[in-house]
Amino acid sequence: MSRPATRVLTLLEVLQDRGLVPADELARHLDVDARAVRRYVTALRDMDIPVESVRGRYGGYRLARGVRLPPLMLADDEAVAVAVALATGKENDQVGEPGPADRALVKLNRVLPVPLRRRVTALIEATSATAGPLTPEPHLALTLAAAVHARHTVRIEHTRGAREVDPYGLVVHTRHWYLVGHDHLRDAVRMYRLDRIGDAAELPGRFTPPEGFDPVAHVLRTLTFDAWTHRTEVWLDTDLRTAADRLPATFGSLHACPEGGVLLVSGAEDLPAMARLLTGLPWAFTVRSPPELITALAGHVAELTRAVDRSRSAP
């Protein structure tokens, strides 16, 4: 076991199944030292799980009498979905002290039926994530979510200064949380990363969001187009469904063309890099704009041609 959370889960399971267990036996079972056992016991107590210490020759640790909760009525797929979301959402798996996601996993496993609990624990142990979403400050996230639900204007303390915003929604994308809403100062829809907001407070004013507004689409469009210097349009010799299945949403927006094919509308800061990406696509394509992208593509093709010539003449 490589994660503190799985060791805490195992400790809880042993105490539930065995009653009083000597500390040295727990240490061997968890493959840790006595100090780590005490640390994991403290973690359980911090989660309001009463673990008693019994001193003496036949002492050890045990759960307080009567500490049994009825099984949580989750289907297998529901339990797996919750456990995986918590496991992959953690920021630091190797940190010595259990974090919020670890504590939530312990509480979830505490009330699962024993067979499913063991299967979920095995799944967590076997699963690793390179990076989950950055966890926002809880009070901030809850305040903003409540304002979105109640349609209350919020005042946020952003790194660029104070703002009053009508919050339309929260979006998690590429590890970051974003607040999307109407900025009163700019009189326009803006998005703000939560890790750049110091504080937020609900205001009395209420608002009505625009009909049909999609916060996710706004974030994707902003990150795809507004952040780039060049707007690009490329015709792809494929159908809309195939293109949508093969290309990530951040690659650009896809539009079926009346004459056939798909128009990829995107943005780029580095046109040579965009040219290299296009030559990696599995379909024939035609650059419609800008002309500078055609020039970059020609330069890339020339370099590929030189590479082919060098390869043919190599001994």
Side-chain angles (χ1 to χ4, degrees), residues 32-265:
V32 296
D33 57 23
R35 178 180 297 180
V37 172
R38 290 194 295 272
R39 186 165 66 246
Y40 297 141
V41 167
T42 300
L44 288 176
R45 289 170 174 165
D46 289 343
M47 295 175 221
D48 297 324
I49 301 175
V51 180
E52 296 179 342
S53 301
V54 179
R55 297 182 179 277
R57 181 178 178 182
Y58 302 102
Y61 295 101
R62 68 185 178 195
L63 293 180
R65 297 186 185 280
V67 180
R68 290 280 178 178
L69 293 180
L72 182 64
M73 291 294 101
L74 286 178
D76 288 14
D77 58 344
E78 295 170 335
V80 168
V82 174
V84 169
L86 290 170
T88 59
K90 297 189 301 177
E91 295 178 49
N92 298 297
D93 286 337
Q94 304 299 329
V95 176
E97 300 298 329
D102 295 316
R103 297 195 296 272
L105 281 168
V106 170
K107 292 178 181 179
L108 171 66
N109 277 261
R110 181 183 175 189
V111 294
L112 287 176
V114 172
L116 182 56
R117 180 203 317 161
R118 289 173 177 164
R119 293 173 64 194
V120 168
T121 301
L123 175 63
I124 296 169
E125 289 180 331
T127 304
S128 300
T130 57
L134 298 175
T135 304
E137 196 281 319
H139 174 73
L140 174 63
L142 292 173
T143 298
L144 293 175
V148 171
H149 180 73
R151 298 184 176 181
H152 280 170
T153 300
V154 291
R155 179 181 176 87
I156 61 173
E157 300 298 331
H158 192 263
T159 53
R160 296 179 181 176
R163 296 283 195 275
E164 290 189 7
V165 178
D166 296 338
Y168 297 158
L170 296 171
V171 177
V172 182
H173 178 66
T174 59
R175 300 196 70 210
H176 292 293
W177 286 65
Y178 296 91
L179 168 68
V180 179
H182 183 268
D183 184 319
H184 290 200
L185 179 64
R186 303 297 183 186
D187 192 25
V189 177
R190 291 286 188 269
M191 69 180 196
Y192 303 93
R193 274 177 37 181
L194 263 63
D195 58 330
R196 296 175 180 172
I197 299 176
D199 196 10
E202 284 191 65
L203 300 178
R206 294 178 61 88
F207 67 91
T208 300
E211 184 175 355
F213 181 81
D214 186 346
V216 173
H218 178 82
V219 168
L220 293 177
R221 184 171 59 253
T222 300
L223 294 177
T224 303
F225 302 121
D226 297 355
W228 307 118
T229 302
H230 305 281
R231 176 186 172 90
T232 64
E233 294 187 6
V234 179
W235 179 84
L236 307 176
D237 187 14
T238 185
D239 60 89
L240 187 60
R241 182 171 183 176
T242 302
D245 288 342
R246 293 291 299 270
L247 299 177
T250 52
F251 207 88
S253 62
L254 300 169
H255 309 272
C257 298
E259 68 277 15
V262 176
L263 184 66
L264 169 65
V265 181

